[in-house]
Amino acid sequence: ADMLLESITSCNCSMCYRLGALWAYYTVDQVDIKVKSEATVYLWGSKVRSYHSCTFCGCTTHYTQKRDDGTNRVAINARMAAPEIFKSVNVRFFDGADTFKYVEK
C-alpha cells in the first residue's frame, strides 16, 4: 500500500546541503529498497548514518540511521522520484547546520 506523507524535509547540514536532497522518512520495516546496480555507502563522524549512492549515476538514493531511541530510520531521497509524486507534499526545513530544529520559512 502507498503511504501518504505529511511532509518531506529539506536540511541544511553540510551533507544534505551538498546533496540537495528532500528526505521522506520511514522506519526500516516500512520500506523495501531494490537496486539494479551496486551502491556505495558513505559514513562519517559517529557512523550512525549511512548514505547510499548509485555507482552508475552517483545520485544519493537514501540513508539509513540507527536513532537514539533504538529505531532504524530510512530516509528516501524524494528527488529521485518523479516530481508529481511529491508536488503536493509540504516541505519542512530542518536547521541541521546550527540549531538542529525545524524552522518556519
Side-chain angles (χ1 to χ4, degrees):
D2 291 329
M3 296 186 61
L4 297 176
L5 294 171
E6 290 182 18
S7 66
I8 51 181
T9 298
S10 175
C11 176
N12 67 349
C13 77
S14 61
M15 186 72 173
C16 296
Y17 174 81
R18 284 163 180 81
L19 292 173
L22 290 173
W23 300 114
Y25 298 118
Y26 301 94
T27 58
V28 72
D29 61 328
Q30 293 174 315
V31 295
D32 182 22
I33 298 172
K34 295 179 171 117
V35 293
K36 291 184 179 182
S37 65
E38 291 292 317
T40 60
V41 178
Y42 178 74
L43 295 99
W44 86 101
S46 61
K47 299 190 182 344
V48 295
R49 191 176 298 156
S50 303
Y51 288 85
H52 300 257
S53 300
C54 174
T55 57
F56 180 71
C57 71
C59 291
T60 299
T61 55
H62 66 286
Y63 74 74
T64 56
Q65 176 184 7
K66 180 79 168 190
R67 304 193 73 198
D68 291 341
D69 64 5
T71 60
N72 291 310
R73 173 160 71 179
V74 178
I76 305 294
N77 185 355
R79 295 222 192 254
M80 298 298 102
E84 59 271 11
I85 294 173
F86 293 101
K87 71 180 177 190
S88 63
V89 178
N90 181 43
V91 177
R92 296 182 70 203
F93 297 90
F94 187 76
D95 184 11
D98 187 28
T99 64
F100 224 64
K101 295 179 181 176
Y102 281 95
V103 296
E104 297 298 321
K105 283 269 180 178

